[in-house]
């Protein structure tokens, strides 16, 4: 039975990984600028255009559908002569794997950088992710996301993120953001803030705060949480490279 479910899950993962050719994204920085700006320990958010990306973006009401951790050059991490810049991600087909930064250079991406961590703590985060390479993607999560593509669930916005927490809970299976969240929780680095609720707050504010507190568990984090987190710095490669607005050449406007 498990073998049958695995085959079905793999075929479903292949289908969900297919890109929507009608959806195109503008590359927001050059390959060179991205490589120059990103550092080990940074999170790269990706605006994907696969079928599964569309489901994740609907559920999270966000531009970002995927997250990967930058670990640096392969030769800095492993015994190899390969100097390729690498990310670690949880892919629906291949599971937890290393992938070249070049793989996402043509996408709309965003760099989120943790602030204040020591080199030793960054190494802990990276080593945690490296140890998980080879883990499989959580097939139960794939089945759930596929269901939301077939029929839009009648779920309010504040409850949608819980749809991402429907995985099996098997520690040898992974979802991209939950794995990264675990890595940062290992060194006690926050992603979303702890909230103290004022007794005088309105019912709506209290409910919102309860929702924030509820998503402290690593299985409930979404790619957008690293973007909105007050603890991650947003790095824009074009600005980091020394952007000068006076150097731009504008096309002449015709009346």
């Amino acid at each position: 039975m498990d073998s049958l479910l695995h085959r079905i899950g793999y075929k479903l993962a292949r289908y969900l990984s297919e890109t929507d050719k009608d959806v195109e994204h503008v590359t927001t920085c050059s390959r060179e600028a991205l490589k120059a700006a990103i550092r080990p320990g940074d999170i790269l958010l990706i605006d994907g255009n696969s079928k599964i990306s569309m489901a994740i973006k609907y559920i999270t009401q966000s531009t970002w559908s995927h997250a990967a951790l930058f670990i640096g050059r392969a030769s800095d991490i492993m015994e190899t002569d390969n100097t390729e810049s690498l990310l670690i991600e949880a892919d629906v087909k291949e599971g937890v794997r290393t992938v070249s930064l070049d793989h996402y250079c043509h996408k709309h991406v965003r760099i989120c950088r943790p602030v204040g961590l020591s080199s030793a703590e960054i190494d802990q985060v990276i080593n945690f992710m490296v140890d998980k390479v080879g883990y499989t993607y959580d097939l139960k999560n794939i089945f759930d996301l596929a269901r939301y593509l077939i029929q839009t669930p009648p779920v309010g916005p504040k409850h949608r993120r819980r749809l991402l927490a429907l995985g099996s809970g098997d520690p040898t299976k992974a979802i991209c953001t939950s794995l990264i969240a675990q890595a940062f929780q290992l060194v006690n680095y926050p992603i979303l803030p702890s909230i103290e609720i004022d007794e005088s707050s309105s019912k709506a504010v209290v409910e919102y705060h309860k929702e924030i507190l509820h998503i402290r568990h690593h299985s409930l984090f979404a790619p957008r949480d690293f973007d909105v987190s007050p603890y991650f710095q947003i790095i824009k490669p074009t600005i980091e490279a020394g952007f000068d607005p006076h150097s731009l050449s504008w096309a002449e406007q015709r009346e």
Side-chain angles (χ1 to χ4, degrees):
M1 185 64 178
D2 288 342
S3 178
L4 175 62
L5 288 175
H6 180 79
R7 290 198 300 271
I8 294 173
Y10 184 75
K11 288 183 179 180
L12 185 56
R14 288 182 59 186
Y15 168 74
L16 292 175
S17 297
E18 293 176 358
T19 58
D20 186 341
K21 296 180 180 179
D22 294 329
V23 178
E24 295 184 3
H25 300 297
V26 177
T27 302
T28 49
C29 68
S30 69
R31 173 178 175 272
E32 292 73 21
L34 179 62
K35 286 193 170 185
I38 198 166
R39 298 178 188 171
D42 286 352
I43 295 170
L44 189 72
L45 302 181
I46 298 104
D47 181 4
N49 61 343
S50 66
K51 292 180 174 65
I52 198 169
S53 295
M54 298 301 111
I56 292 172
K57 285 194 279 189
Y58 165 76
I59 291 171
T60 62
Q61 295 292 283
S62 170
T63 297
W64 312 112
S65 60
H66 187 56
L69 184 82
F70 183 67
I71 62 172
R73 295 182 302 177
S75 58
D76 294 336
I77 306 299
M78 313 164 194
E79 293 184 3
T80 176
D81 294 329
N82 184 3
T83 58
E84 193 172 29
S85 296
L86 296 179
L87 300 157
I88 291 183
E89 65 175 6
D91 179 73
V92 293
K93 289 193 300 182
E94 307 298 332
V96 183
R97 63 175 184 173
T98 59
V99 62
S100 171
L101 181 62
D102 288 338
H103 186 69
Y104 292 116
C105 281
H106 65 290
K107 296 280 190 181
H108 176 208
V109 296
R110 172 160 293 170
I111 297 173
C112 299
R113 177 169 298 160
V115 176
L117 290 180
S118 66
S119 297
E121 289 169 324
I122 291 293
D123 288 343
Q124 276 187 272
V125 171
I126 290 174
N127 291 336
F128 174 89
M129 295 292 287
V130 170
D131 288 343
K132 299 300 181 289
V133 171
Y135 280 28
T136 57
Y137 195 89
D138 197 327
L139 293 181
K140 189 175 187 304
N141 188 256
I142 293 175
F143 287 121
D144 289 326
L145 288 172
R147 179 156 50 90
Y148 304 136
L149 286 174
I150 297 170
Q151 183 176 4
T152 301
V155 179
K158 71 176 183 178
H159 298 299
R160 284 176 185 163
R161 72 163 57 247
R162 297 181 187 177
L163 302 180
L164 290 176
L166 299 176
S168 64
D170 187 334
T172 62
K173 300 181 186 294
I175 300 170
C176 65
T177 46
S178 66
L179 195 63
I180 295 173
Q182 279 182 280
F184 280 100
Q185 288 179 345
L186 181 69
V187 295
N188 296 317
Y189 194 84
I191 298 172
L192 290 176
S194 295
I195 302 293
E196 293 185 6
I197 303 176
D198 188 338
E199 293 182 359
S200 64
S201 299
S202 67
K203 182 179 179 181
V205 170
V206 170
E207 287 300 315
Y208 173 76
H209 287 175
K210 285 181 179 178
E211 179 66 12
I212 291 293
L213 291 171
H214 181 73
I215 60 178
R216 303 298 295 175
H217 191 270
H218 63 79
S219 67
L220 290 169
F221 284 103
R224 71 181 293 272
D225 294 330
F226 298 103
D227 186 15
V228 301
S229 170
Y231 309 116
F232 283 81
Q233 182 181 3
I234 303 303
I235 305 298
K236 297 193 175 182
T238 302
I239 295 176
E240 292 292 308
F243 172 66
D244 179 6
H246 303 101
S247 66
L248 297 177
S249 297
W250 295 90
E252 294 184 5
Q253 293 184 349
R254 297 180 180 179
E255 295 182 359

